[in-house]
Amino acid sequence: MFKGKLKNKFAVFATSAVMAVSSVAGVVPSAMADSDLGLDNYAKLLQYSLYFYDANYCGIGAGEKSHITWRDDCHTENIANGGFHDAGDGIICGLTEGFTASTLGWLYYEYKDEFQKTGTYAHLKDITNEFAQFFKNCTTLDADGNVTNFIYEIGDDGIDHGKWRAPELMPQRGSNEYYSTTNGASNVAAQYAAALAQNYINFGNEEDLNYAKALYAFATKYRTMTYEQ
């Protein structure tokens, strides 16, 4: 049993939990007809698509943040807290993390009325704020606001892909399971910057904008790619 802090958590209907698990695994249960899943109800599908992120929260507070009751805290000693696992395994890949966050932010920017009408505004905001906070947790700034170091991946392909299990049951990270740079990975830094800038446009957090500017300056200064994804 996971030692859950399930008090005051938002309980999700069983169907949504099935959909979240299926999203992580990359399959939709064939036993369910489209009508059973409500695949013609786009408001419901929008909500269910956000449960994918609830299934993949990482770090201290994951149990409280997730809308899925069977999730709990995991990887509590990560060097940078928070973020989301990459599609169901335990890795946190900066490039995909940044791309996903900026895409979600742009989606809200273009269709904010739909999020308001379907009651998914607060849920989406929680998710994009989590992404933004994680990117800031990964970034070290000096006294002048310049990036001196940032983390662009957490995890190990061999370890994380070698044994699939609930993240709550995964061991803590080893010292060799972090990738950071003082002068590279510009493609990831630029993705972080885009996501933070988009989150600032949507929700007005000045700190997001400050980090976005710093990461963009870092990316344009070094202009080097990383393939550690």
Side-chain angles (χ1 to χ4, degrees):
M1 290 288 292
F2 302 146
K3 43 179 193 175
K5 300 173 183 141
L6 304 181
K7 238 174 157 183
N8 298 323
K9 292 189 65 179
F10 173 45
V12 180
F13 289 113
T15 311
S16 64
V18 169
M19 284 296 293
V21 173
S22 302
S23 297
V24 171
V27 295
V28 174
S30 57
M32 293 185 177
D34 285 2
S35 58
D36 296 331
L37 292 173
L39 297 184
D40 56 348
N41 183 335
Y42 293 105
K44 181 185 288 187
L45 286 175
L46 176 60
Q47 177 62 76
Y48 284 4
S49 70
L50 296 178
Y51 290 144
F52 173 83
Y53 300 96
D54 290 296
N56 284 289
Y57 269 106
C58 183
I60 300 168
E64 288 78 12
K65 296 169 188 172
S66 176
H67 289 191
I68 295 176
T69 56
W70 42 261
R71 279 307 322 277
D72 200 1
D73 296 4
C74 64
H75 301 112
T76 55
E77 296 180 11
N78 274 358
I79 193 169
N81 185 58
F84 298 86
H85 301 126
D86 191 55
D89 56 23
I91 298 173
I92 298 178
C93 296
L95 195 60
T96 52
E97 198 101 346
F99 174 79
T100 301
S102 59
T103 302
L104 280 174
W106 190 259
L107 180 68
Y108 175 76
Y109 178 77
E110 291 285 352
Y111 301 104
K112 55 174 64 76
D113 288 346
E114 281 69 21
F115 281 95
Q116 294 283 359
K117 290 173 185 175
T118 56
T120 52
Y121 160 79
H123 194 179
L124 182 281
K125 183 179 179 182
D126 286 345
I127 291 167
T128 60
N129 278 342
E130 174 68 16
F131 274 116
Q133 187 58 54
F134 174 69
F135 300 148
K136 291 181 287 188
N137 291 346
C138 286
T139 305
T140 303
L141 303 180
D142 65 17
D144 297 320
N146 300 309
V147 176
T148 58
N149 182 77
F150 86 99
I151 298 164
Y152 59 89
E153 184 174 341
I154 298 175
D156 180 277
D157 288 353
I159 295 171
D160 286 299
H161 289 155
K163 186 174 183 181
W164 285 58
R165 55 199 150 173
E168 292 84 356
L169 300 179
M170 291 178 179
Q172 298 296 340
R173 304 285 187 191
S175 59
N176 62 337
E177 293 181 68
Y178 301 95
Y179 301 87
S180 65
T181 182
T182 59
N183 58 3
S186 299
N187 50 336
V188 183
Q191 285 285 8
Y192 285 9
L196 286 160
Q198 188 66 62
N199 209 53
Y200 166 74
I201 291 169
N202 288 340
F203 305 117
N205 185 336
E206 286 285 343
E207 187 180 55
D208 290 348
L209 181 60
N210 293 336
Y211 274 82
K213 289 178 177 178
L215 283 159
Y216 180 75
F218 179 94
T220 56
K221 178 179 180 180
Y222 293 108
R223 297 179 181 274
T224 1
M225 302 265 294
T226 180
Y227 301 96
E228 292 282 358
Q229 300 292 326

